[in-house]
Structures are given as structure tokens and as C-alpha cells.
Amino acid sequence: MKSAIQMGAGNIGRGFIGMLLSQSDYKVTFADVQEEMVKELETRGEYTVEVVGDNKESIKVRNVKALLSGDPKLINVMADADVVTTAVGPPILKFIAPTIAKAIKMAVSQNRSKPLNIIACENAVRATTQLKKLVLTELGDDLPDWVGFVDAAVDRIVPPMEPGDDISKVRVEEFYEWLVEKSALKGKALDVKGMTLVDNLEAGVERKLFTLNTGHAVCAWLGQYLGYPTIKDAISSEKVAKLVKGIMQQSGAALIAKHGFTEEAHAKYIEKILKRFANPYIVDSVERVGRQPVRKLSAGERIASPVSEAMKHGLPVDKLLLG
């Protein structure tokens, strides 16, 4: 049976990446720093994903294992894995890079030759490339040719559960998208349900990051400023909805100019996102979505990047700047 290590047993790790890997016949081992979550997953060997939207569904994810991120056993398991995925948040990549480097060194000492693909599933442009640089710092640039660092783009809204709920249970929206750069994969293409292999990843990454993530963050900031507790409440306000849509239209104009998306297709993409924000079954606080504003306002991120690109093409940026 194929094996996968999912670094990060949070909402995205369990409700998106880990679930799809498990449904694709991978034996999934979660690694996390949260002792209670690790103990629960390891003891039960399964958890529930509740899909909400127009169609509701409860999915049991079975045959899973879990280890603490600092457990020495993780290096042994990773050294034999077929794929390593992450969903830890971009700032945490530097903390998991040493473990990945140690696993690669161990695999080399065991004369491994089968492919190992590493995919960082984070809200950042080319997060796997960032992770690769960190791992190479630990390895001293001595990277075996069977290791692939594969950039990806992920998209699924996964809000926190209510206090008192089963700690391992996770709630997700129906929509999801997992784009993976085909050319970077080692060995045969990964047979993972829900994974889409693409040739032009940059366009997909930036379409998502500078539309969905831009709109999501600004909706949260506007909502908090105006006193709305959740994203659904904020986007229900005509004032907020108009501003958020205008901001996504300005970032969208920059994306159309850069990547050649059609105006009609991108307009439909924006409307789909607005509908997702208004999903009555997703209760997501503006505080959670709007957190880490310093990072989200930095160069290359969801506001600064579309502003720079729009200005390059002489396009309006007033609403983006308001955000």
C-alpha cells in the first residue's frame, strides 16, 4: 500500500489533503505538534469530515496514523513514504524542513531509489520551492535525483469547529481545487483523487491567491472594522459585498492582463467565490480569516502583488488600496 505523510493535522490537513490521499488508497500518517489531536487520531485510526453546502455528506476517513512532529519515529516513516504533503502555514515550513532533510539522509543510507514527492499545500506562491530551499540548507545541496519538490495550489474553505465538538471532526465546503505542477513530479504521476496536474501552475496559483485569498482577507478586515462577527455576516452586508467584489475585480483585471484569462470566465470565478463566502453552513470568524495581517500585506502577497501588477498595466488600484 502506498504511504503518505501529512505534516499538519489541522483543518486543511484533515479536511482536504489527508482525506483525498486516504480516499486514493494511501496509508496516511499525520504529524503535528498538538498532542491531544495526535493521540485522538492514533487511538481511533479514523475521523469524520462533514461536507456542507447544497449537498451535505458525512465521510469517514479510515486507516490513519498519527505521530508528534518531534517523534524520532517520524523520520523512519517518512524515509519510506511515497509522498509528503504539508498544511502547516508558510511561517512553519522552516521548522519542518530539518525533519524532511533527516528523512532524506536516512533514505539515502538505506539505498532508496523509489520516488519521493514533497508537496507544500500552503497559501503562498510556490511554497514548495520555499520549502526546498530550507531543506537544501540542511542537506548542503546534496539532493538525490529521486526526490521531487512539487509546487501546488490548494483551495478549500475549512472553518474551525464549534467548541465541544469531537476534536478530530472537521467541516468543509463542497468546493475544492488542488492544482499540482506536473513537470516537477518524480516517477509516475500521482494517482490521487481530486488532484489536477497542470503545466502552467503560476496562473492557477495566482488566480486563487489574488482572487479568493485577496477577497477573503479584505472581507474579514472590513467585517471586523464594521462589527460583523463572521464572513457570512460581513458578505451579507451590501456595503461589504460591493467593496469585496470591486477589490476582486481590480485584482482580476491585473490577472487577466498577466495571464490572459477571459473576462467572462474570471467574472464567473468571482461570483462563485462570493457565493462560497455566503455559504450559510460555513461559520468562519472574521478574526480567524483576517489574522496575520502583516504577512498578508507584505510584498508578493494577496494585496501588494495585485496592486503592483495592476499598476504595471496602468489599471485602477483604488479599491485594492482601500483593502
Side-chain angles (χ1 to χ4, degrees):
M1 190 177 194
K2 298 170 291 185
S3 65
I5 306 292
Q6 167 54 40
M7 302 292 287
N11 291 341
I12 290 291
R14 298 193 321 282
F16 187 4
I17 308 304
M19 183 186 75
L20 293 185
L21 288 167
S22 178
Q23 291 178 329
S24 304
D25 297 324
Y26 280 81
K27 181 180 179 181
V28 180
T29 299
F30 290 95
D32 203 281
V33 296
Q34 190 180 352
E35 292 187 24
E36 188 180 2
M37 178 65 75
V38 168
K39 183 179 179 181
E40 186 74 8
L41 292 173
E42 178 64 16
T43 301
R44 293 170 56 173
E46 65 179 35
Y47 63 93
T48 301
V49 176
E50 185 181 286
V51 182
V52 295
D54 294 335
N55 300 296
K56 292 185 178 181
E57 185 180 8
S58 185
I59 300 171
K60 281 283 187 184
V61 180
R62 296 185 167 88
N63 193 31
V64 302
K65 305 282 288 180
L67 290 166
L68 286 170
S69 299
D71 192 326
K73 294 177 186 175
L74 177 60
I75 296 170
N76 296 317
V77 177
M78 191 180 293
D80 191 51
D82 295 283
V83 61
V84 174
T85 52
T86 82
V88 295
I92 307 301
L93 292 176
K94 63 184 177 183
F95 297 112
I96 66 174
T99 299
I100 295 173
K102 288 175 183 176
I104 292 173
K105 288 179 181 178
M106 176 173 285
V108 170
S109 71
Q110 296 170 347
N111 297 315
R112 172 175 174 149
S113 60
K114 71 173 182 177
L116 169 63
N117 287 293
I118 299 167
I119 310 172
C121 304
E122 313 290 349
N123 274 331
V125 175
R126 296 204 172 273
T128 311
T129 296
Q130 298 175 36
L131 177 58
K132 181 179 180 179
K133 291 177 182 177
L134 294 166
V135 172
L136 287 177
T137 299
E138 301 287 332
L139 288 175
D141 293 339
D142 187 18
L143 186 68
D145 60 6
W146 42 263
V147 178
F149 281 88
V150 189
D151 278 305
V154 292
D155 185 1
R156 188 171 219 175
I157 297 174
V158 187
M161 299 293 288
E162 292 82 2
D165 270 335
D166 175 357
I167 185 176
S168 67
K169 185 178 179 181
V170 60
R171 181 176 297 130
V172 302
E173 65 168 336
E174 288 180 278
F175 177 88
Y176 68 82
E177 186 175 61
W178 187 5
L179 307 180
V180 172
E181 191 168 40
K182 184 178 180 180
S183 62
L185 286 168
K186 295 291 184 177
K188 296 180 180 178
L190 297 176
D191 185 17
V192 178
K193 175 185 178 182
M195 176 186 286
T196 302
L197 302 181
V198 297
D199 295 314
N200 183 7
L201 180 67
E202 183 182 20
V205 169
E206 294 196 344
R207 183 188 70 151
K208 183 258 180 178
L209 189 62
F210 303 145
T211 312
L212 176 103
N213 292 112
T214 300
H216 216 193
V218 174
C219 185
W221 298 334
L222 288 168
Q224 192 164 40
Y225 181 74
L226 295 173
Y228 295 105
T230 70
I231 293 295
K232 182 178 74 69
D233 292 330
I235 206 67
S236 296
S237 160
E238 185 178 348
K239 180 187 290 186
V240 175
K242 184 178 179 180
L243 284 169
V244 170
K245 182 175 182 178
I247 285 164
M248 289 196 291
Q249 286 173 331
Q250 287 193 344
S251 68
L255 289 166
I256 289 167
K258 182 176 181 180
H259 295 295
F261 300 133
T262 67
E263 291 186 12
E264 181 182 6
H266 199 71
K268 288 181 179 179
Y269 182 64
I270 288 173
E271 291 300 327
K272 182 184 290 185
I273 289 171
L274 290 168
K275 183 180 178 181
R276 291 167 65 193
F277 290 172
N279 187 336
Y281 304 103
I282 297 290
V283 181
D284 212 353
S285 72
V286 294
E287 184 177 358
R288 189 197 77 83
V289 175
R291 64 190 173 183
Q292 298 181 334
V294 173
R295 176 176 68 84
K296 292 173 180 175
L297 289 167
S298 64
E301 263 284 353
R302 62 206 70 194
I303 300 293
S305 188
V307 166
S308 297
E309 192 64 32
M311 291 177 71
K312 187 188 301 182
H313 295 279
L315 297 167
V317 295
D318 58 305
K319 292 183 176 62
L320 280 164
L321 293 177
L322 175 61

